[in-house]
Amino acid sequence: MMVVPGYTLGAFILLLHVKSVANYPNGRVTKSCHGMIPEHGHTPQSDPAHNISVSQMTFKPGDQIKVTLSGPPFKGFLLEARNAEDLSGPPVGSFTLIDSQMSQLLTCEDTQGSAVSHTNSHEKTEIKVYWNAPSSAPNHIKFLATVVEKYRIYWVKIPSPVISQPNVLPFTTPEAAVEPMPTTLPPASHLTKSFNTSDCGNKKFCIRSPENCDPEKELACVFLSFTRDDQSVMVEMSGPSKGYLSFALSHDQRMGDDDAYMCIREDQTVRIQPAHLVGRSHPVMDPRDPLEDMAWRLMDGVMQCSFRRNITLPGVKNRFDLNASYYIFLADGAAADGRIHKHSQQPLITYEKYNVTGYPQNVGGSHSLLLLKVHGALMFVAWMTTVSIGVLIARFFKPVWSKALFGDAAWFQVHRILMLTTSALTFIAFLLPFIYRRGWNWHAGYHPYLGCIVMVLAVLQLLLAASRPPLHDPRRQMFNWTHWSMGTAARIIAVAAMFLGMDLPGLNLPGPQKTSAMIGFVAWHVGAEIVLEIHAYRLSRKDEILDDDRIQILQSFTVAEGEEPVDGCVDGPVAPQQP
C-alpha cells in the first residue's frame, strides 16, 4: 500500500492550467490541451531549439497542409493549431497522422483529432502530420508545439509561421501571443547549520524517526518540524536521501487528495516543490508562490530543507489550512533529472491526526500500519502454528489420544478445534487488507492472488470435512486422499504467500532477519514431521518385532502342548516304584 507524499518550494508563476507532457510517456495528455505546460515544476526554456515548418503559406477550407516538427532529439511533444489572432482560444481543425507509431491524435475541446502527441518516450527528431482546414477556419492560423527533451528541459508553445486564407488582410497582430515565462527560479538560500531539536515539544511540533533522534548528531535521523510564527508556519525537514525527501498532510492513512511538499535534489542543488496527490499516482506539481524563506543544505548524504507558508491560503488550490488536524506522511526515494520515483519504503505515518499549529508536541509514527500488521500476524499464527500442530496431531497422535472426548476421539477433537481456528484466523486476516485499501491492491504482485487461493482452499476444506463419510464407507479412502491433498496444497501456497508478503513495504519488516525467521519456522515444521515419521516407523518396526516374538512364543507353546507323554505317563503324582 502504498502512499507517496511530497515536499514544498518556491514560485512557479503563471501555471494556471498545469498539465503533463513528459509525465505521461504514452502521450495521453488530453487534459493538457489548453495550457500546453508540463507539470514538472521547472521553468521552460526560453529560446526554442526546435522548428515547425508548413508545406504552404496559404490555405482554404478543406485543404490538407503538411506540418513538420523537427530539431534536436526530444521525447515528448504536443502540437495544436490555433487562431493566430487568439492563441488562448481552442484548437482549430483536425490532424491526420502520417506515422501512427510515433504520434497519436487527441481530442481537445470536444473536437476529435484536434491535437497530436507522442506515443512513447523514445527519442525522435522529426514528426510529420497533416492538418485539415475546417470550413469555419479563421483567417490566420498558427501552429504551437510544446517539446520535452527531458524532465527538466522543455519548451512551451513554440510558434510556427502564420498561414492565412487567400484574399484576407495581412496578419498584423503582435507576436506576443505566448505569455512570458520566468527564466529563473526565485533563489533559495543555503542553510549554514543543521536543524536542532532543543525546542521540540516546547516551541516546535516535531516528528522524528527513530523516536527522539537528533539530526545534528545522527545521520540516519528523519526529522520534520513545524514552528508557528503569528499567521505563518516555518517548516524544517531533514533526512538521509540522495533523491528526495517529502511529507504530506492527509485526512486519512491512505494516499490520495493530499497536500504534499517535496525536497528534490538536482545535481548539487535542491528544489523545494509543493504538489498534490490524486489517488496512487505521480504527484502533480503546483505553483510555488505560497512558499517563502526557502533554504536547503546537502551534507554527508543528508538533505535538509526549510520554508515558510501562511497558515491559511484563501483561494490557493490544493493547499490545506494548517489550523486543522491531519495525518502526516514522511517519505523518501530516488530522483533522476529532477523527476521523483516511487518512495523506497512505506512512508512513515503518524499514529493519529495532529494539528501542527496547535500545542507543540514531540511525536513519532510507523512505517507499517496496524491493520496490515494484524493481517500478517494472524496469517502467521494460522499457517505456521495452528495448522501445523493440527496436522501433526492428526498424523501422529491417533494411537496416543484415542480415548473418547465429548463423543469423539480426543485427537480428532483437538485436530478439529485447531483447523477451525485456522479457518477463522484466515478469514479475519483475509478481510483486513480489503478494509484498509477499500478494494483490491494492484501493487502487491502475486501475494493477494495466492492469498485468495488459500482462502478458497480453507473454505473447501471446511465443507469437505463437514461431509466426511463414516470410517468403513467405501468413499472414506477417497475423502482421506482429497482432504490431505487439499490441505497440503493450502499449506504450501500459504507459506509462499507469506514469503512474498514479507517483502511488501506495508509491513516494513527488517531485511534478512525476516527471511531467516520464516525459513527457520518452515525448517522446524518440516524437521518435526521427519523426526516424528522416523519415530513412528521405528515404533511400527518394534511392534512388528514384538508381534513376531509373540507368534514364535505362541508357536512354541503350541508345539509343546501337542507332544503326548511317553510310556504311558499320565498327569498326576508318580507312583513310587516297587523294589
Side-chain angles (χ1 to χ4, degrees), residues 365-382:
S366 173
H367 287 279
S368 178
L369 297 173
L370 180 61
L371 280 179
L372 299 182
K373 286 180 178 178
V374 174
H375 164 78
L378 292 181
M379 285 297 193
F380 182 85
V381 171

Side-chain angles (χ1 to χ4, degrees), residues 252-384:
D252 52 39
Q253 291 185 309
R254 287 176 296 276
M255 176 182 173
D257 301 321
D258 304 328
D259 181 7
Y261 302 86
M262 294 179 289
C263 176
I264 306 170
R265 180 167 183 169
E266 297 178 349
D267 297 327
Q268 297 305 310
T269 63
V270 174
R271 174 168 57 95
I272 308 173
Q273 178 70 53
H276 68 276
L277 306 175
V278 181
R280 301 186 68 188
S281 59
H282 196 279
V284 179
M285 306 300 180
D286 291 326
R288 295 181 290 180
D289 302 345
L291 307 185
E292 302 173 349
D293 300 339
M294 294 174 291
W296 58 271
R297 180 173 182 259
L298 292 171
M299 184 68 67
D300 298 326
V302 175
M303 183 185 300
Q304 297 187 326
C305 301
S306 65
F307 64 89
R308 182 185 302 278
R309 60 150 282 188
N310 289 337
I311 295 176
T312 60
L313 295 167
V316 179
K317 292 181 62 177
N318 306 316
R319 302 280 74 82
F320 293 175
D321 290 344
L322 298 184
N323 51 12
S325 296
Y326 307 99
Y327 289 102
I328 303 169
F329 294 78
L330 269 166
D332 67 280
D337 258 341
R339 176 173 180 161
I340 69 170
H341 300 283
K342 184 178 180 181
H343 42 80
S344 52
Q345 62 176 336
Q346 180 78 1
L348 179 80
I349 306 174
T350 55
Y351 297 111
E352 57 185 277
K353 289 183 177 181
Y354 292 101
N355 183 345
V356 298
T357 60
Y359 183 77
Q361 297 184 61
N362 195 10
V363 304
S366 173
H367 287 279
S368 178
L369 297 173
L370 180 61
L371 280 179
L372 299 182
K373 286 180 178 178
V374 174
H375 164 78
L378 292 181
M379 285 297 193
F380 182 85
V381 171
W383 292 95
M384 295 302 295

Side-chain angles (χ1 to χ4, degrees), residues 441-476:
N441 184 1
W442 298 102
H443 303 276
Y446 292 108
H447 175 75
Y449 298 98
L450 295 181
C452 289
I453 294 173
V454 170
M455 186 71 248
V456 170
L457 290 175
V459 172
L460 291 177
Q461 280 287 74
L462 287 179
L463 297 176
L464 187 64
S467 60
R468 182 180 64 145
L471 180 61
H472 299 293
D473 191 289
R475 298 171 297 168
R476 183 59 179 258

